[in-house]
Amino acid sequence: MQLVIGNKNYSSWSLRPWVLMRQAGIAFDEIQIRFDAFTPDSRFKRSLAVHTPAGKVPVLIDGDLHVWDTLAIAEYLAERFPEHRLWPDDARARARARTVCAEMHAGFGALRSHCPMNVEALLPDVGARLMREEPAVRADLERLFALWGALLDEHGGPLLFGRFTIADAYFAPVCSRLRSYGLPVPKPIADYIEAVFALPGMQAWVREALAEREFLAFEEPYRTSR
């Protein structure tokens, strides 16, 4: 199996299946296509065209099958490797896990747009300003903390469904955003973020993201250099 990803420092969508597979112990070869621009004639788009017509990362390749949506990748991996128990075992918990992943997939737009993932950056001043000036960001955080808090209470932590599942991989980029922008979080949520960052798969991603040492201005709305 192969997984096509973008820059580890910036690509939140790439993080999800990469951490999922790495943490679960599913072997894969990484194909990294570095960002240069997202215009149709960019090297990134031209290189990616051989893997997916959608023009976006990530892409999972298994033989002649190419899967290029993160939820579809997660579902395929869960079916392909049932022994890894990527979803919760209980049917009701599985339905809940799928529901919260779908909510993340389609929602939290203000948090995403105002706080793009940037593993290397520490931007607490930006986070403080956003908390003052952007009510939509505050609303996204309130919803996020309610969602996580309910799951942690129900399943006892340290992860959303007790043990590691697709849901934790899906929210890993959000944990990174909360840390990078120094956004205020309640203690149980802070403990969950620490648990995610303690996962060996997440630690590996962070190490490799920090090692990239690239600065892409079009991914950096708040800085002019590192």
Side-chain angles (χ1 to χ4, degrees):
M1 300 183 82
Q2 298 171 304
L3 185 67
V4 184
I5 65 169
N7 293 50
K8 289 189 173 77
N9 192 53
Y10 298 115
S11 183
S12 60
W13 293 103
S14 297
L15 185 160
R16 293 180 169 106
W18 194 98
V19 167
L20 176 64
M21 297 176 77
R22 185 70 172 264
Q23 185 64 28
I26 299 172
F28 66 96
D29 294 323
E30 176 187 308
I31 300 173
Q32 188 178 50
I33 302 177
R34 297 295 183 95
F35 299 157
D36 61 335
F38 297 133
T39 55
D41 61 343
S42 66
R43 177 185 50 79
F44 172 75
K45 290 290 188 179
R46 287 185 280 107
S47 299
L48 192 56
V50 302
H51 302 295
T52 169
K56 297 178 180 179
V57 287
V59 185
L60 180 70
I61 303 170
D62 189 9
D64 61 354
L65 175 66
H66 291 221
V67 186
W68 55 79
D69 175 84
T70 52
L71 272 180
I73 290 171
E75 290 284 10
Y76 178 73
L77 292 170
E79 293 183 2
R80 180 86 154 71
F81 301 98
E83 68 276 13
H84 290 294
R85 302 166 61 213
L86 300 181
W87 289 118
D89 297 326
D90 176 74
R92 291 173 63 89
R94 280 198 305 279
R96 186 76 181 279
R98 286 185 168 102
T99 299
V100 300
C101 287
E103 183 175 351
M104 183 68 248
H105 199 64
F108 300 98
L111 182 61
R112 286 190 219 257
S113 63
H114 289 290
C115 302
M117 193 177 85
N118 192 328
V119 175
E120 174 269 334
L122 293 176
L123 302 165
D125 292 344
V126 174
R129 178 174 61 78
L130 293 173
M131 291 298 292
R132 292 193 306 269
E133 300 177 1
E134 297 294 341
V137 171
R138 296 196 300 271
D140 275 358
L141 291 178
E142 288 174 9
R143 171 58 193 145
L144 181 70
F145 297 160
L147 184 157
W148 284 358
L151 292 173
L152 293 168
D153 286 346
E154 181 177 353
H155 298 283
L159 299 174
L160 295 180
F161 292 87
R163 61 175 179 81
F164 176 76
T165 68
I166 289 167
D168 300 299
Y170 225 76
F171 283 105
V174 184
C175 293
S176 180
R177 287 177 162 99
L178 295 175
R179 178 177 280 192
S180 292
Y181 293 88
L183 297 171
V185 300
K187 179 63 163 59
I189 303 304
D191 291 343
Y192 171 65
I193 293 169
E194 290 303 314
V196 170
F197 272 92
L199 295 169
M202 187 67 170
Q203 291 181 341
W205 178 276
V206 170
R207 283 195 305 272
E208 295 178 27
L210 295 177
E212 287 179 345
R213 303 198 62 78
E214 289 179 282
F215 182 88
L216 301 179
F218 61 87
E219 290 280 7
E220 295 272 0
Y222 304 117
R223 304 191 300 179
T224 57
S225 64
R226 289 181 65 135

